[in-house]
C-alpha cells in the first residue's frame, strides 16, 4: 500500500524533501508554533517578467547538519512557487484585496508541512507589487494561523521591523493543547503593549476546515459525487480563480474523508510551472486556476472528476458517480446536508463544521465501523485484519459491494495498518 503513497508524495511538489529529518530536535511538532516566516516578493528578470523570490526569512538557522541544510534549501526553493502559483501574470498595481490561502508540502516519509499565506499590497503611494507572508508549520490549524497573519499584516503596515519581535514571541510560546489559549505580549510603537490571545480549537480534525466554503459553492448532490470519487481514490481537479477559494474547498473535501486520510498527491493550488507534471496516472486532488482550463482539458486523463467552483458544476465526470455510494446511506446524507443548507438555519462556521462532519463520520461508522472486531490479535500483540470476514459481515448487498472496492484503497490500507499497531481494548469485545 505504501508504494503509491511514496511515489505520490514525491510527485506532490517538486522537489521532495529529505526523509527522516523531522524527528530532529528542531522540528518536533508541538515544540514550536512554526518553523519559518518568509516574505516572498516579485523581482523583475532581465526579460521583463517577474519572478517570486524570498526577501526575508525568520529565523535564519545556523549550525545545521548537512542533511538539514539540504532539506532547508529544498524547502526554501519550493516556497516561492506556491506563494505565487500564478507565475508571471503580475504588473504593479495600486489596489489589491489581501487574500489568505495555504499549501501543503509532503516529505518523502509522508509527513506534511503547511504553508499559511497572506498575499497583500504593502502600504505606500503609487503602483507597487504584492508580496506574500508565508508561515511554514507542521501544525494544521487554519483559523489560528489566519489570526497570526492578521497580526503580521497589521505590523507590516507600520514597518517590517515590528514583525520580528512578534514572531520571536510566538516562537518562544508553546503550541497550546486543543481548547487551550496562549497569550502573546507584543509591543507596537505608538499603541503600546498588546496582549494577543490565540486559542486552539477543541476538535483537531476540523482545525483546518471551512465546510461552509463548499456548501456555498456546490449543491449537496455534487458534494456527494465528489466524496464518492475521493473514496475510490480517483483524480479530482477543482477550478476557481481565487487562491483562497481553491485552498478552502480542497481542504474541506479532504476533511470529509475523516477518519481516513487522502494519501496521494494533494496540491490545493498548483503553480503554473507544475501544471503538466500534476496530471499523472496516480490519484490526485488538486486546485488549478480557472484561466488554465483549456490546458487541463487537453490532458489525457482516466477516471477524473473536474469541478468548476465558480459555476458550482461538474465539467467532466466518469459518469457513474450517482451509483458509487450505497443508495440508502447516500439518501440519508443528502437529507442531512440539505437540512444544514436550508437558509432558515443560520449557523456559525463551527456549527456547520460539526454538523457536516457528523453526517460523514456517521456514514463511515455505519459502513465500516465494525472493523475493530475483525482484527485478530496475536500473542506478540500484533494484529492482522480479516478482510474477507469483515466484508462478509455486512448484511446489505449494496453496502458490501461498495466496501469491497473501498478496502482496496490506499486510505483504507493505511488506516488498518495503524489500527493493527495500536491495540485498544474494544468495549464488549474482550
Amino acid at each position: 500500500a505504501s508504494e503509491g503513497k511514496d511515489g505520490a508524495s514525491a510527485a506532490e511538489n517538486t522537489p521532495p524533501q529529505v526523509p527522516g529529518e523531522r524527528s530532529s530536535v528542531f522540528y518536533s511538532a508541538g515544540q514550536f508554533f512554526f518553523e519559518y516566516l518568509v516574505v516572498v516578493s516579485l523581482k523583475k528578470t532581465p526579460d521583463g517578467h517577474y519572478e517570486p523570490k524570498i526577501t526575508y526569512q525568520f529565523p535564519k538557522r545556523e549550525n545545521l547538519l548537512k542533511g538539514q541544510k539540504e532539506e532547508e534549501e529544498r524547502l526554501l526553493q519550493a516556497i516561492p512557487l506556491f506563494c505565487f502559483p500564478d507565475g508571471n501574470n503580475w504588473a504593479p498595481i495600486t489596489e489589491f484585496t489581501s487574500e489568505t490561502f495555504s499549501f501543503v508540502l509532503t516529505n518523502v516519509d509522508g509527513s506534511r508541512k503547511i504553508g499559511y499565506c497572506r498575499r497583500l499590497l504593502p502600504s505606500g503611494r503609487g503602483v507597487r507589487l504584492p508580496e506574500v507572508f508565508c508561515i511554514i508549520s507542521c501544525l494544521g490549524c487554519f483559523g489560528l494561523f489566519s489570526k497570526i497573519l492578521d497580526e503580521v499584516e497589521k505590523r507590516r503596515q507600520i514597518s517590517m521591523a515590528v514583525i520580528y519581535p512578534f514572531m520571536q514571541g510566538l516562537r518562544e510560546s508553546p503550541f497550546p493543547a486543543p481548547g487551550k489559549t496562549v497569550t502573546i505580549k507584543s509591543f507596537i510603537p505608538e499603541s503600546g503593549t498588546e496582549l494577543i490571545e490565540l486559542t486552539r480549537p477543541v476538535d483537531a480534525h476540523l482545525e483546518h476546515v471551512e465546510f461552509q466554503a463548499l456548501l456555498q459553492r456546490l449543491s449537496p448532490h455534487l458534494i456527494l459525487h465528489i466524496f464518492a470519487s475521493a473514496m475510490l481514490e480517483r483524480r479530482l481537479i477543482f477550478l476557481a480563480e481565487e487562491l483562497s477559494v481553491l485552498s478552502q474547498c480542497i481542504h474541506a473535501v479532504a476533511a470529509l474523508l475523516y477518519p481516513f486520510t487522502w494519501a496521494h498527491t494533494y496540491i490545493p493550488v498548483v503553480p503554473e510551472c507544475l501544471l503538466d507534471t500534476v496530471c499523472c496516472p496516480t490519484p490526485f486532488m488538486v486546485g488549478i486556476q480557472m484561466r488554465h482550463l483549456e490546458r487541463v482539458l487537453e490532458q489525457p486523463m482516466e477516471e477524473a472528476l473536474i469541478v468548476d467552483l465558480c459555476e458550482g458544476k461538474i465539467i467532466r465526470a466518469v459518469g457513474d458517480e450517482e451509483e458509487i455510494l450505497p443508495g440508502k446511506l447516500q439518501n440519508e446524507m443528502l437529507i442531512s446536508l440539505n437540512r444544514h443548507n436550508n437558509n432558515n438555519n443560520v449557523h456559525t462556521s463551527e456549527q456547520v463544521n460539526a454538523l457536516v462532519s457528523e453526517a460523514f463520520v456517521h456514514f463511515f461508522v455505519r459502513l465500516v465501523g465494525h472493523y475493530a472486531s475483525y482484527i485478530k490479535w496475536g500473542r506478540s500483540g500484533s494484529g492482522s485484519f480479516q478482510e474477507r470476514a469483515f466484508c462478509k459481515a455486512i448484511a446489505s448487498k449494496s453496502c458490501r459491494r461498495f466496501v469491497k472496492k473501498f478496502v482496496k484503497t490506499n486510505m483504507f490500507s493505511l488506516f488498518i495498518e495503524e489500527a493493527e499497531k495500536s491495540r485498544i481494548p474494544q468495549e464488549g469485545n474482550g
Side-chain angles (χ1 to χ4, degrees):
S2 67
E3 199 176 290
K5 183 175 181 209
D6 285 346
S9 50
E12 174 169 333
N13 24 267
T14 8
Q17 295 170 15
V18 181
E21 287 295 312
R22 74 189 170 127
S23 56
S24 81
V25 61
F26 292 110
Y27 296 160
S28 74
Q31 187 178 6
F32 291 132
F33 260 89
F34 67 98
E35 288 181 22
Y36 296 98
L37 165 73
V38 298
V39 179
V40 177
S41 310
L42 292 167
K43 296 290 174 200
K44 207 165 194 170
T45 58
D47 61 2
H49 285 116
Y50 288 100
E51 199 183 327
K53 290 258 189 261
I54 291 179
T55 50
Y56 176 86
Q57 175 196 333
F58 170 80
K60 287 268 196 238
R61 309 251 299 263
E62 308 293 332
N63 310 324
L64 290 180
L65 303 173
K66 185 168 178 275
Q68 292 170 331
K69 187 85 190 131
E70 285 169 5
E71 179 180 4
E72 180 180 83
E73 278 167 15
R74 272 196 284 269
L75 177 69
L76 296 177
Q77 213 179 343
I79 289 170
L81 282 182
F82 288 89
C83 289
F84 281 97
D86 32 16
N88 293 320
N89 302 304
W90 285 99
I93 44 180
T94 52
E95 280 180 24
F96 180 73
T97 308
S98 71
E99 53 184 346
T100 308
F101 57 98
S102 60
F103 59 83
V104 179
L105 297 173
T106 301
N107 287 340
V108 181
D109 66 356
S111 63
R112 287 177 168 172
K113 293 183 198 295
I114 302 166
Y116 298 96
C117 302
R118 175 71 51 87
R119 186 146 75 177
L120 53 91
L121 202 59
S123 55
R125 291 205 184 111
V127 293
R128 49 212 187 280
L129 288 158
E131 58 189 16
V132 174
F133 283 79
C134 172
I135 297 173
I136 300 287
S137 176
C138 3
L139 305 159
C141 200
F142 197 78
L144 194 59
F145 282 96
S146 293
K147 193 171 175 188
I148 292 168
L149 287 166
D150 289 344
E151 296 297 331
V152 168
E153 183 169 1
K154 191 161 87 183
R155 284 158 179 73
R156 172 67 184 100
Q157 305 308 346
I158 303 166
S159 129
M160 282 293 288
V162 192
I163 296 172
Y164 175 84
F166 169 65
M167 294 309 282
Q168 183 62 39
L170 193 60
R171 200 164 165 77
E172 288 162 5
S173 301
F175 193 66
K180 297 281 180 268
T181 299
V182 67
T183 305
I184 314 277
K185 272 188 179 174
S186 176
F187 177 76
I188 295 188
E190 294 175 21
S191 335
T193 300
E194 280 191 355
L195 293 178
I196 296 148
E197 292 197 340
L198 298 169
T199 304
R200 185 174 170 189
V202 176
D203 203 338
H205 80 274
L206 296 177
E207 282 186 340
H208 206 99
V209 177
E210 286 287 343
F211 286 131
Q212 223 152 11
L214 216 49
L215 288 164
Q216 280 164 357
R217 289 173 180 84
L218 299 168
S219 70
H221 211 91
L222 290 186
I223 291 172
L224 287 183
H225 284 188
I226 293 164
F227 172 68
S229 304
M231 277 192 75
L232 295 186
E233 297 187 326
R234 291 180 170 180
R235 295 165 189 80
L236 293 148
I237 294 179
F238 295 86
L239 295 158
E241 200 45 55
E242 291 170 46
L243 305 187
S244 47
V245 171
L246 283 174
S247 107
Q248 275 186 337
C249 289
I250 292 187
H251 287 312
V253 169
L256 294 176
L257 298 169
Y258 178 83
F260 298 90
T261 308
W262 180 261
H264 297 277
T265 301
Y266 175 77
I267 315 180
V269 183
V270 177
E272 195 174 345
C273 58
L274 296 183
L275 275 180
D276 297 333
T277 58
V278 158
C279 300
C280 51
T282 57
F284 53 76
M285 193 185 291
V286 299
I288 294 176
Q289 285 182 292
M290 188 55 90
R291 65 184 79 152
H292 304 304
L293 174 62
E294 295 306 315
R295 268 176 79 180
V296 170
L297 294 175
E298 283 164 10
Q299 300 277 351
M301 265 182 288
E302 286 172 30
E303 294 207 319
L305 189 71
I306 303 180
V307 183
D308 176 343
L309 293 168
C310 305
E311 299 282 327
K313 62 182 188 186
I314 285 175
I315 297 177
R316 184 185 286 173
V318 175
D320 64 351
E321 286 81 3
E322 186 64 40
E323 282 82 53
I324 296 174
L325 300 175
K328 188 165 175 271
L329 289 179
Q330 179 161 299
N331 287 337
E332 282 177 18
M333 285 163 77
L334 262 182
I335 291 165
S336 182
L337 286 177
N338 277 320
R339 201 183 308 134
H340 310 326
N341 222 15
N342 188 334
N343 292 332
N344 304 339
N345 300 340
V346 180
H347 291 302
T348 65
S349 155
E350 285 77 12
Q351 285 170 321
V352 172
N353 275 358
L355 292 166
V356 171
S357 179
E358 198 179 299
F360 285 87
V361 169
H362 183 64
F363 167 83
F364 284 120
V365 170
R366 293 274 300 273
L367 205 60
V368 295
H370 60 300
Y371 77 91
S373 314
Y374 289 86
I375 295 176
K376 211 173 182 179
W377 296 99
R379 285 209 177 127
S380 63
S382 65
S384 86
F385 180 60
Q386 313 295 299
E387 188 181 296
R388 279 187 63 186
F390 166 78
C391 291
K392 253 182 156 164
I394 299 167
S396 150
K397 218 177 188 170
S398 62
C399 287
R400 197 181 323 126
R401 197 167 48 236
F402 174 70
V403 169
K404 278 183 171 171
K405 289 181 190 165
F406 183 52
V407 293
K408 301 294 178 216
T409 62
N410 244 8
M411 73 176 97
F412 188 81
S413 307
L414 291 168
F415 179 81
I416 289 297
E417 270 174 38
E418 283 303 310
E420 287 170 336
K421 283 184 219 160
S422 54
R423 183 166 195 181
I424 299 165
Q426 297 296 314
E427 284 179 39
N429 178 29

